[in-house]
Amino acid sequence: MRSDRYKEDASYNKKKPLRILLPLILVLALAVAGSLAYLYKSTEKSISLEFKSDHPVIPFGEKHSSKFYVRSASGTVTPAAATLDTDTVGEMELVYTVTKPVLGGLLKPSKDYTLSYTVEDREAPMLIWSGAGTVIETGSEFDINKVIAYGDNADPEPAVSVEGSVDTSVAGDYPLRVTVTDASGNPTSWDLKVEVADELPEDEPEESEKLQFRDFVSANKGDGRSFGIDVSSWQEDIDFDKVKKAGCEFVMIRVGYSEGDGKTFEIDDRFKENIEKAKAAGLKVGVYMYSYDNTEDKARASARWLIETLDKAELDLPVAFDWEDFGQFQTYKMSFADLNRLYDAFADEISKAGYEPMLYGSKLYLEEVWEDTGKRPVWLAHYADRTNYKGPYRIWQAANTGRIKGISGDVDLDIMYE
């Protein structure tokens, strides 16, 4: 019995220090936790951020760095986005998080601040075609949207109003005042005279001067330049061996076009023949697609169809996005900002497939409609002896009435810059 009691006493004596230490450890832990909590809260309380403006007003579409609007901060500032969203007109917000690490980053107190800002559309709609010279036949229906063209940077559906009227039952001249107004109230107005006639004037064919490929090369030769053409089924049967012998170094070939519904695509009747023969002749090859799309999803579908049609063919040159139906732009019910996003969507799909995207555009629309042309590879269309386009471009389509051996009719002539 004594032996058992001795054992119990010995066991108790061994546990006694532990029972004393446990409360001390708990007290110490609570003290440390309290100190850390106090340090966290006091540091969090010291965090501050001051904006340069309480509520800035920013023009639609302008690129603004988020951090530009931070005047000062007592920690590391992390905006929710690198740039402010200016693609939507109206009231917007962006959250900034200020973090101030302590104890070597063991604690990371932070506080959120919200910048409220207004995106304002200050640009009036762009007049693409005024309708000047419009003649309609007596008895026909007059629709203003069939004789003019316009678009807006932000509004996909600007409103058009007409002062005056056209009586199509009586021949004569009818003066009108046309105004296109966007959703922000910015107007563009102009005078238009519409003629109603018993007989429509006959179109007189224009004789264009033909430019021989050899003369084109001679007039534009220089270091870092190569000369080529772009073709489609309009050129019919092409002898690419003769084209190559004539001095042509590259060719941009049309793959086809989209119908604009995101589902229907038409391959160029000569595409497969053209790409096979051009490669066999030793020409460098790139391709392009004509688009009637008006949404990003449709543009992506077009790109995927093009990639499938290429069937993993190797290209020396980019894949160009060609959207140019500006003569009836308002019928697409999209803004210029929407149009730019079409290219970005198309280019994203093309890049993911391992090809290089490119934007095709005429000088006017590259200057007035297309954005970020310094970042997007550009194929410039400007029919002139010398171009005064100021932006960067990789290919210049300089003529559309060129002639070269191997093609029976007109062909576009291009210069590529290395």
Side-chain angles (χ1 to χ4, degrees), residues 12-159:
Y12 175 79
N13 290 333
K14 287 180 180 179
K15 293 179 180 178
K16 189 175 181 180
L18 184 59
R19 291 179 178 179
I20 296 173
L21 284 174
L22 283 175
L24 292 176
I25 293 171
L26 181 59
V27 170
L28 181 61
L30 291 173
V32 171
S35 298
L36 291 176
Y38 175 79
L39 180 60
Y40 186 96
K41 289 185 177 180
S42 61
T43 304
E44 183 182 47
K45 190 175 181 179
S46 70
I47 292 174
S48 64
L49 181 146
E50 182 184 358
F51 292 117
K52 293 181 179 178
S53 173
D54 289 338
H55 195 109
V57 178
I58 305 169
F60 175 87
E62 281 196 2
K63 307 301 182 185
H64 284 245
S65 166
S66 300
K67 290 189 176 181
F68 172 80
Y69 289 94
V70 178
R71 184 187 303 278
S72 62
S74 61
T76 302
V77 182
T78 307
T83 58
L84 295 184
D85 180 1
T86 58
D87 291 336
T88 304
V89 175
E91 300 303 313
M92 305 291 288
E93 290 184 345
L94 181 64
V95 176
Y96 295 72
T97 300
V98 182
T99 306
K100 193 174 184 180
V102 291
L103 296 179
L106 179 63
L107 299 177
K108 296 181 180 179
S110 64
K111 191 181 294 185
D112 289 344
Y113 295 83
T114 300
L115 174 68
S116 298
Y117 61 98
T118 300
V119 178
E120 186 176 83
D121 178 20
R122 303 172 184 174
E123 293 185 30
M126 176 182 173
L127 176 58
I128 298 173
W129 175 243
S130 69
T134 295
V135 181
I136 61 174
E137 193 172 11
T138 52
S140 62
E141 181 182 355
F142 174 69
D143 182 349
I144 188 65
N145 274 303
K146 291 184 178 179
V147 299
I148 64 173
Y150 54 89
D152 188 66
N153 63 320
D155 186 358
E157 297 186 70

Side-chain angles (χ1 to χ4, degrees), residues 142 144 162-166 174-178 190-194:
F142 174 69
I144 188 65
V162 179
E163 295 178 28
S165 61
V166 176
Y174 295 87
L176 304 175
R177 181 69 174 172
V178 185
W190 69 98
D191 293 319
L192 170 63
K193 183 182 73 173
V194 173

Side-chain angles (χ1 to χ4, degrees), residues 28 40 60 67 69 95 99 112 138 154 162 176 181 218-219 235 246 260 278 288 324 346 356 378 384 396 401 404 417:
L28 181 61
Y40 186 96
F60 175 87
K67 290 189 176 181
Y69 289 94
V95 176
T99 306
D112 289 344
T138 52
V162 179
L176 304 175
T181 308
S218 178
Q235 277 68 47
Y288 69 97
E324 52 182 288
F346 179 90
E356 180 187 0
V378 166
W396 172 25
T401 56
I404 190 171
Y417 300 85

Side-chain angles (χ1 to χ4, degrees), residues 203-413:
D203 293 331
E204 296 183 5
E206 295 183 5
E207 286 296 327
S208 55
E209 185 178 353
K210 309 305 178 183
L211 178 58
Q212 296 297 324
F213 186 80
R214 62 178 179 274
D215 296 332
F216 175 67
V217 173
S218 178
N220 293 282
K221 61 185 177 181
D223 294 338
R225 301 180 184 186
S226 55
F227 297 86
I229 59 176
D230 58 270
V231 301
S232 69
S233 57
W234 290 105
Q235 277 68 47
E236 299 182 340
D237 187 41
I238 300 173
D239 188 329
F240 281 100
D241 289 323
K242 288 184 179 179
V243 167
K244 172 74 171 176
K245 288 179 182 178
C248 182
E249 298 167 273
F250 70 90
V251 58
M252 296 291 290
I253 301 172
R254 187 176 76 164
V255 178
Y257 58 91
S258 68
E259 292 284 6
D261 60 2
K263 300 176 182 178
T264 310
F265 310 98
E266 296 291 337
I267 189 170
D268 186 286
D269 291 339
R270 299 275 181 172
F271 169 66
K272 291 185 177 179
E273 175 187 347
N274 282 343
I275 194 169
E276 288 175 5
K277 289 184 176 180
K279 282 176 170 285
L283 291 164
K284 290 183 178 180
V285 172
V287 299
Y288 69 97
M289 181 173 184
Y290 194 98
S291 174
Y292 290 100
D293 299 324
N294 67 341
T295 70
E296 293 177 59
D297 287 343
K298 292 176 183 178
R300 288 185 183 277
S302 293
R304 289 192 291 268
W305 173 83
L306 182 150
I307 292 163
E308 182 180 351
T309 304
L310 284 175
D311 193 23
K312 299 182 180 179
E314 292 187 6
L315 299 178
D316 310 288
L317 305 177
V319 176
F321 178 76
D322 179 7
W323 201 106
E324 52 182 288
D325 196 17
F326 290 98
Q328 47 184 353
F329 186 83
Q330 67 269 20
T331 65
Y332 287 86
K333 296 183 179 181
M334 63 177 172
S335 67
F336 296 147
D338 294 330
L339 178 61
N340 277 268
R341 285 190 282 269
L342 291 195
Y343 171 79
D344 290 337
F346 179 90
D348 181 56
E349 295 292 333
I350 293 300
S351 297
K352 286 191 293 188
Y355 296 109
E356 180 187 0
M358 174 176 276
L359 172 63
Y360 173 89
S362 67
K363 176 180 179 290
L364 172 64
Y365 299 113
L366 286 170
E367 292 172 336
E368 300 295 334
V369 174
W370 293 108
E371 301 169 358
D372 296 330
T373 51
K375 299 177 182 177
R376 297 167 173 169
V378 166
W379 178 8
L380 165 69
H382 184 204
Y383 306 140
D385 293 334
R386 293 287 182 270
T387 182
N388 57 358
Y389 177 66
K390 302 299 183 183
Y393 52 94
R394 183 173 173 187
I395 301 176
W396 172 25
Q397 186 186 78
N400 64 342
T401 56
R403 292 297 176 96
I404 190 171
K405 291 181 179 178
I407 297 177
S408 60
D410 291 348
V411 67
D412 297 333
L413 303 183

